[in-house]
Every structure is written in C-alpha cells, then in structure tokens.
C-alpha cells in the first residue's frame, strides 16, 4: 500500500519536474545574460565617479542614487540623440514598410511573373551583415569614391552631398531600408499567402478590380503582420547603432559619437564613465520596454 | 504574437498551386497594361536591392588598387585572385583568423543554442505545468526587447567579473536565443503529435529519451531554421564583439572589417571592398541554398 503511494507520488513529482529540467539550461543562461546584467547595470548606475582634483589617484565610487539620472535627463546630447532616432523612426519606418507592402502585393498579384526571383532579390540584402552593408554603402556615398556621384556628375553635372547636415540621417535611413525592406516584405508576403483563395475568388466574381481587392481585402487581412513589422521596426529604430557608427568615419563630422542613444551610451563607456553609461542604458532599456509594452497591448486589443 | 501564431496555423495557399492553374487564367485576367505596370515597379525595386551587391562583386574583380576606377557597374580587367591574396596578406593574415573566428562563434553558439531552445520550446509546447504562462510571457517580452539593449550592461558585468577579452564573453550571450525558444515552441506545437509522445512513454522510454529520439527527429527541419537564424544573428552581431573582444586575434570578421574601414587608408580602401565581399560569401550561399528554411521561420513570425 505504502509502496504504491510512494510510486504514484514519485511519478507525479517526475512529471512535475520534467518540464523544468527541459527549461533549466535556458533559464539559467537567461538569468545570467538578460536579468543579471540589467540588475548589475542598475546597481552601478546608483553610484557616481569621484575624481580628486588633481586626477592623480584612481577615481572612487560614491553612492548617489539620483546623480546619474539627473545628468541623463539634463544631457543635451543624449536628448538630441533620442529626438534624432524618433524622427528617424517616424519617417523611415512608414517608407520602408510601405515599400515592403507594395512589393509583397505586386509579387502576389496575378500580373507578376518570376515571383521566386523577385522574392529572393529583395531578401538578399538581409544576407549581408548590417555593418558590412554599411561599409559597402560608405564606398557608394564617399565623396572620394562614390560611383553614384561619379555617374551623376558625368551625366547631369551634379552630385549628392550624402553627409550634409540635412541629408546625413537619411543616408543612414537608406542603408537601413535597403537591408530590412525585403525581410519585412517576406513576412507580409507570407501573411498574404494565408488569405483563403475562395475569399479572393468571391470578390473577383463580385466584379472587384485587382486594386480594389488589394485595398479592401488583402491589406485588412494582413493587418496583424503589418502591426508586427511596425512594432519591430520602431523598436529597431531605437537601437540604431551599427550603420551610423560605420558611416561616422567618412561623414566629415556630420555623424558625431553621440548620434544615437546607444552610441551616446557607448561613448560613455569609451570615456570609462561606467556608472553614467549604466544609467543611460537603463533609461534606454526602460523607454524601449515601455514602448514595446504599449505596442504589444495595442496589438492584442486590436485583435479581439 | 497571437496574430502570427494564428497565421502560422492557417494552411498557406500553396504558391505553386496558385501559380499553375492561374497561369492560363492569368493571361486572360490581366491586361498588358497592368502586367507592364507591375513588372516595371518590381524591376525598379530589384535594381535598388541588387545594384549595390553587383557593384561590390564587380569592384572586387578589378585589378588591385583600381576598385573605384572606370564604370562602377562593369568589369574592367581581372584581379580577383590577386585581390583575395592581398586581403589575406594584410597584418600577417589576420583576415583568415577573423573568418575562422566568425565560423567558430556563430557555429558553436547556434549549435548549442538550438538544442537549448528546442528543449525549452518543447517543454512549453508539450507539458502542462504551473508557471508555463509566466515563463512564455517572459520569453515573449525578451523577444520584444532587442538583444543589443543588453550589450552595454553585459560589458559592465563582464568587466567586473574579469571575462572581457575571452571567447566566453562572446559565446555565452550568443547562445541564449528567446526567439529560438519562441520558434521551437511554435514548431513543436505544430509538428509533434501528442499520441507519439504517449506511445514512446508506453514503450517505457524516459521523457528525455522520447524528446531525443522521437520529438527532435520530427522537429529536425524546424531546428535547421532555428540554427540558421541564430547563426546569421551571431555572424552579424557587431556591438557585442566590438565591446567585449579587444584582442584583434579574437575578433570576428565584421569587427575586423569595420576596423579596416575606419583606418583612414592604413588598409587600402580596395582591400576593404574585397574583404567585405569575401565576408558575405558564406551567408549569400546559405541564403540561396536554404531558402525554404528561411521562409519557414518568417512564416512562423520572424522577428529579428
């Protein structure tokens, strides 16, 4: 009797334990790589570096929980970088996703030939690492080597100042658009493939034109994919780092070392002011976290 | 997330099926005007996506030092092999070391990461246990916040514990992939039948044995997708190795290339162009030959 009970209990314990054993390696690493650094950075952000007047001894840390955060919110460069990525997101994300949607609809349309080729061609830039794409575009932009300007000058007698104050941000945006449009296009295209053929057939029998079907049936039905790609593109804008970092060296000063929030935090690391870099990272993580949460809520409400 | 899960479970309209019967009909359905309109937009988009890559290929084949001369879009002399040799000569062949490092970091972390993600995703998909919802919620939240956000805090933590400048500092964060767990969960829920797991248990196999010899096999194509996404993500990661690996001989190729490109001519621009070309070849091949695995991942709600 008692043996049976023990057997049953241990079987139940085993069942209860199994999924956690499967999850264990992931959870341990997750805590070490995601949770611990954030807690560590948060703790570090509560201290400030105290240097003595002559800078002869190593700086010491003093507990001063608000000093770094006060400095972050008063840091004009950091705020400018936040404003810059906000502007970037507002302009670049709709252009990129509009382009992705247009290409997805065209490839999906009956008039298209060579679907596989066009899909592949627009996805190919995604195979190129972001920084390598930026290195490549830096040659296409560079005042010295640009084949684009070489062509424009010989054919039309003008050139594009890719790194003028007004254009630099959009030169960066072009690299991002070039890399990510095909990726977003494929997500939208995959969603288009799930629209039942009967729905489209019915609309056609009712006499709807291809444009009308695209506008009134296809686009509303891929709305979840559009929301998803929008959310991730906006979050992607907030973490802008690779492209401006690479283009900085040939931008003639138009792109500074604090051009985006992440670059600003990185330059604090380079200046060895770790507590301040930690505070900047925490602020940035919180901003992105809040934005994600809000979008996630909006998305799931839209779905009900 | 919900939207993508829904679209993943809806059977996609088969591309070829909608192509084949549509072909004859399409001829009648579509006007010449609409075909010309659609195709010209698609061709324009393709030119935008492929021209920079074409330029990179053409420039790499031009004789050393003449990467930027002549027509940017057409061949002029042939020096590809000589160029490749030059790339491997700079700084005592450090480029070869960088490529090997990239293969090592991306291959090792994608391999270990895929197994860990598969276990975790499988547990969430196939076991009922208390805390399942919470664990999955945390994973989704982690998918939403880009990894790059955790890089600076990781640097600060590794600095404290003395892990900087070791391969571990690159590998540990690369192994953890919440997106991989998410994909594994979707694929396990879709493809592994509960009956098969039950049958394995009745045969007396332990839970881990069932996972290894039944579920893993069925999930194999999905695991290729997870591996591929993670491999490319690690190969393309710039900020993490740029921060945690100072030693040139430990760096992956993307960090090395950016260093060359920002060297203000110490390494000739032509050599950087050829290096960029060489560094993307493995990924271009992976893309062209493993297309269906990419699409599988994107259909399931590709995020990163």
């Amino acid at each position: 009797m008692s043996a049976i009970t023990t057997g049953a209990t241990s079987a139940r314990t085993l069942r209860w334990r199994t999924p956690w054993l499967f999850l264990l390696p992931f959870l341990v690493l997750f805590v070490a790589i995601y949770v611990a650094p954030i807690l560590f950075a948060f703790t570090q952000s509560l201290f400030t570096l105290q240097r003595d007047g002559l800078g002869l001894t190593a700086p010491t840390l003093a507990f001063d929980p608000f000093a770094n955060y006060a400095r972050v919110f008063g840091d004009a460069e950091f705020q400018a970088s936040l404003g810059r990525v906000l502007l970037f997101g507002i302009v670049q994300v709709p252009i990129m996703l509009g382009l992705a949607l247009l290409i997805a609809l065209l490839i999906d349309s009956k008039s298209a030939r060579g679907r596989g080729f066009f899909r592949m061609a627009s996805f190919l830039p995604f195979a190129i690492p972001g920084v390598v794409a930026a290195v490549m575009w830096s040659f296409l932009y560079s005042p010295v080597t640009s084949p684009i300007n070489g062509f424009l000058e010989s054919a039309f007698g003008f050139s594009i100042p890719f790194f003028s104050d007004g254009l630099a941000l959009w030169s960066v945006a072009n690299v991002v658009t070039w890399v990510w449009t095909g990726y977003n296009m494929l997500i939208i295209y995959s969603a288009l493939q799930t629209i039942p053929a009967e729905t489209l057939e019915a609309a056609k029998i009712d006499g709807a034109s291809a444009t009308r079907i695209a506008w009134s049936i296809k686009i509303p039905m891929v709305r979840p994919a559009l929301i998803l790609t929008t959310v991730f593109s906006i979050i992607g804008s907030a973490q802008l780092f690779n492209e401006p970092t690479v283009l900085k060296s040939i931008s003639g000063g138009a792109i500074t070392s604090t051009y985006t929030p992440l670059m600003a935090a990185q330059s604090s690391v380079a200046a060895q002011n770790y507590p301040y870099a930690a505070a900047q990272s925490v602020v940035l993580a919180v901003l992105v976290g809040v934005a994600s949460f809000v979008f996630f809520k909006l998305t799931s409400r839209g779905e009900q | 997330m919900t939207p993508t899960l829904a679209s993943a479970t809806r059977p996609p309209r088969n591309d070829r099926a909608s192509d084949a019967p549509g072909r004859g009909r399409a001829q009648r359905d579509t006007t010449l005007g609409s075909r010309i309109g659609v195709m010209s937009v698609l061709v324009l988009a393709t030119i935008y996506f492929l021209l920079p890559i074409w330029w990179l290929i053409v420039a790499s084949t031009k004789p050393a030092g003449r990467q930027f001369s002549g027509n940017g879009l057409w061949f002029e002399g042939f020096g590809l092999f000589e160029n490749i040799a030059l790339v491997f000569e700079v700084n005592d062949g450090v480029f070869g070391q960088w490529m090997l490092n990239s293969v090592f970091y991306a291959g090792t972390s994608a391999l270990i990461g895929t197994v860990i993600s598969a276990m975790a995703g499988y547990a969430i998909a196939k076991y009922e246990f208390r805390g399942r919802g919470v664990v999955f919620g945390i994973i989704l939240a982690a998918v939403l916040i880009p990894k790059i956000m955790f890089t600076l805090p990781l640097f600060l933590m590794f600095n404290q514990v003395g892990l900087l400048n070791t391969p571990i500092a690159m590998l540990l964060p690369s192994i953890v992939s919440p997106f991989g767990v998410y994909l594994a969960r979707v694929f396990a829920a879709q493809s592994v039948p509960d009956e098969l797991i039950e049958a394995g248990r009745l045969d007396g196999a332990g839970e881990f044995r069932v996972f290894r010899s039944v579920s893993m096999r069925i999930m194999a194509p999905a695991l290729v997708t997870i591996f591929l996404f993670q491999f490319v993500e690690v190969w393309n990661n710039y900020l993490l190795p740029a921060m945690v690996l100072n030693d040139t001989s430990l760096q992956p190729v993307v960090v090395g290339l950016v260093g060359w490109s920002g060297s203000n001519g110490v390494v000739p621009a032509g050599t950087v162009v050829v290096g960029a070309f060489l560094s993307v070849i493995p990924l271009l091949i992976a893309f062209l030959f493993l297309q269906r695995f990419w699409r599988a991942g994107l259909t399931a709600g590709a995020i990163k």
Side-chain angles (χ1 to χ4, degrees):
Chain A
M1 182 71 174
S2 67
I4 294 171
T5 332
T6 342
T9 322
S10 74
R12 209 179 305 145
T13 327
L14 215 64
R15 272 293 160 82
W16 171 86
R17 241 199 262 152
T18 313
W20 290 106
L21 284 178
F22 276 116
L23 279 164
L24 193 66
F26 175 78
L27 290 180
V28 167
L29 281 170
F30 182 80
V31 169
I33 296 304
Y34 280 74
V35 182
I38 291 289
L39 290 180
F40 180 78
F42 179 70
T43 316
Q44 203 167 21
S45 72
L46 304 177
F47 292 82
T48 51
L49 278 181
Q50 307 282 324
R51 293 176 210 269
D52 69 10
L54 295 167
L56 293 175
T57 53
T60 50
L61 285 173
F63 183 70
D64 190 353
F66 300 112
N68 286 314
Y69 290 98
R71 197 180 143 194
V72 169
F73 289 110
D75 184 336
E77 283 185 351
F78 192 68
Q79 281 168 12
S81 73
L82 282 174
R84 202 170 285 125
V85 293
L86 190 67
L87 175 66
F88 178 94
I90 291 171
V91 176
Q92 188 266 342
V93 172
I95 291 178
M96 172 179 68
L97 293 181
L99 193 60
L101 175 64
L102 176 72
I103 297 172
L105 284 170
L106 291 181
I107 295 181
D108 189 57
S109 80
K110 282 224 160 65
S111 300
R113 298 287 175 275
R115 294 191 166 90
F117 169 76
F118 287 122
R119 252 187 350 236
M120 196 61 223
S122 41
F123 190 43
L124 211 55
F126 186 67
I128 297 185
V131 287
V132 178
V135 167
M136 191 179 74
W137 276 99
S138 74
F139 291 118
L140 299 176
Y141 286 158
S142 156
V144 189
T145 60
S146 172
I148 303 173
N149 278 340
F151 168 76
L152 288 177
E153 256 160 36
S154 62
F156 305 104
F158 78 100
S159 60
I160 304 172
F162 288 109
F163 294 109
S164 63
D165 282 341
L167 271 186
L169 187 62
W170 312 117
S171 298
V172 174
N174 173 54
V175 180
V176 177
T177 308
W178 184 78
V179 172
W180 289 93
T181 301
Y183 173 86
N184 288 302
M185 186 279 288
L186 270 195
I187 294 180
I188 298 169
Y189 182 80
S190 299
L192 280 173
Q193 299 308 301
T194 64
I195 300 176
E198 306 87 71
T199 313
L200 301 175
E201 205 59 40
K204 211 166 63 197
I205 291 167
D206 287 347
S209 68
T211 329
R212 184 70 207 278
I213 291 177
W215 187 254
S216 312
I217 296 175
K218 289 182 176 178
I219 293 181
M221 285 190 88
V222 299
R223 192 172 154 266
L226 289 174
I227 294 173
L228 192 82
T229 48
T230 308
V231 170
F232 287 107
S233 305
I234 291 173
I235 296 171
S237 306
Q239 56 162 332
L240 195 62
F241 180 84
N242 291 345
E243 294 82 0
T245 302
V246 172
L247 293 175
K248 190 177 114 210
S249 63
I250 60 149
S251 74
I255 297 175
T256 59
S257 60
T258 57
Y259 201 66
T260 71
L262 215 51
M263 287 172 78
Q266 208 264 353
S267 72
S268 303
V269 168
Q272 306 248 317
N273 192 347
Y274 296 159
Y276 188 53
Q280 285 174 308
S281 307
V282 170
V283 169
L284 196 54
V286 169
L287 285 178
V288 173
V290 168
S292 308
F293 182 76
V294 169
F295 280 118
F296 191 53
K297 279 287 159 204
L298 287 177
T299 320
S300 47
R301 198 174 52 200
E303 276 313 289
Q304 275 159 15
Chain B
M1 281 323 99
T2 354
T4 37
L5 285 180
S7 68
T9 46
R10 249 188 292 164
R13 258 191 293 144
N14 190 328
D15 232 13
R16 206 156 308 162
S18 76
D19 240 2
R23 186 136 308 192
R25 213 176 34 196
Q27 306 289 332
R28 268 180 283 127
D29 271 8
T30 58
T31 61
L32 184 66
S34 87
R35 281 207 296 277
I36 292 175
V38 166
M39 294 304 277
S40 45
V41 176
L42 285 178
V43 167
L44 272 180
T46 303
I47 291 174
Y48 171 62
F49 292 124
L50 294 189
L51 224 49
I53 300 177
W54 176 248
W55 173 82
L56 187 68
I57 296 171
V58 169
S60 303
T61 65
K62 289 182 179 175
R66 293 179 48 200
Q67 266 60 45
F68 307 104
S69 60
N71 180 349
L73 296 177
W74 201 247
F75 301 96
E76 205 179 84
F78 188 81
L80 178 62
F81 298 120
E82 186 196 341
N83 292 334
I84 294 175
L86 275 175
V87 168
F88 283 93
E89 269 166 28
V90 182
N91 305 347
D92 302 320
V94 73
F95 189 84
Q97 180 69 47
W98 289 340
M99 289 292 271
L100 289 177
N101 289 344
S102 280
V103 171
F104 171 70
Y105 294 136
T108 312
S109 36
L111 198 66
I112 302 174
T114 303
V115 174
I116 290 177
S117 297
M119 283 166 58
Y122 174 77
I124 296 170
K126 290 294 166 188
Y127 290 92
E128 302 253 359
F129 57 96
R130 273 180 65 187
R132 179 165 82 159
V134 176
V135 170
F136 193 54
I138 291 171
I139 289 169
L140 282 187
V143 172
L144 280 166
I145 302 178
K147 233 174 175 172
I148 200 167
M149 289 289 162
F150 295 89
T151 307
L152 288 185
L154 265 173
F155 166 85
L156 298 174
M157 190 178 77
F158 284 158
N159 177 47
Q160 187 75 21
V161 297
L163 272 177
L164 286 187
N165 233 354
T166 62
I168 299 284
M170 174 66 192
L171 287 174
L172 268 188
S174 305
I175 287 172
V176 194
S177 169
F179 179 57
V181 178
Y182 170 75
L183 281 182
R185 185 209 162 271
V186 173
F187 290 136
Q190 269 174 6
S191 62
V192 184
D194 289 334
E195 297 78 30
L196 224 56
I197 299 176
E198 268 318 310
R201 282 179 188 145
L202 288 176
D203 285 347
E207 296 296 314
F208 192 75
R209 180 76 199 281
V210 172
F211 168 72
R212 212 189 53 199
S213 37
V214 179
S215 311
M216 279 275 264
R217 295 238 166 115
I218 301 177
M219 286 167 72
L223 297 184
V224 176
T225 301
I226 296 173
F227 178 87
L228 214 51
F229 269 91
Q230 200 166 347
F231 186 92
V232 170
E233 196 196 316
V234 179
W235 186 286
N236 291 358
N237 195 347
Y238 170 73
L239 184 57
L240 178 69
M243 297 221 65
V244 301
L245 304 171
N246 263 325
D247 195 338
T248 328
S249 66
L250 285 176
Q251 286 169 348
V253 69
V254 288
V255 177
L257 265 181
V258 171
W260 275 6
S261 123
S263 72
N264 285 322
V266 175
V267 175
T271 308
V272 182
V273 170
V274 182
F277 169 68
L278 291 176
S279 76
V280 299
I281 289 178
L283 295 177
L284 287 179
I285 292 172
F287 262 64
L288 292 169
F289 288 95
L290 299 169
Q291 275 195 68
R292 76 187 173 97
F293 295 108
W294 286 108
R295 290 191 67 201
L298 290 167
T299 316
I303 283 148
K304 288 211 165 131

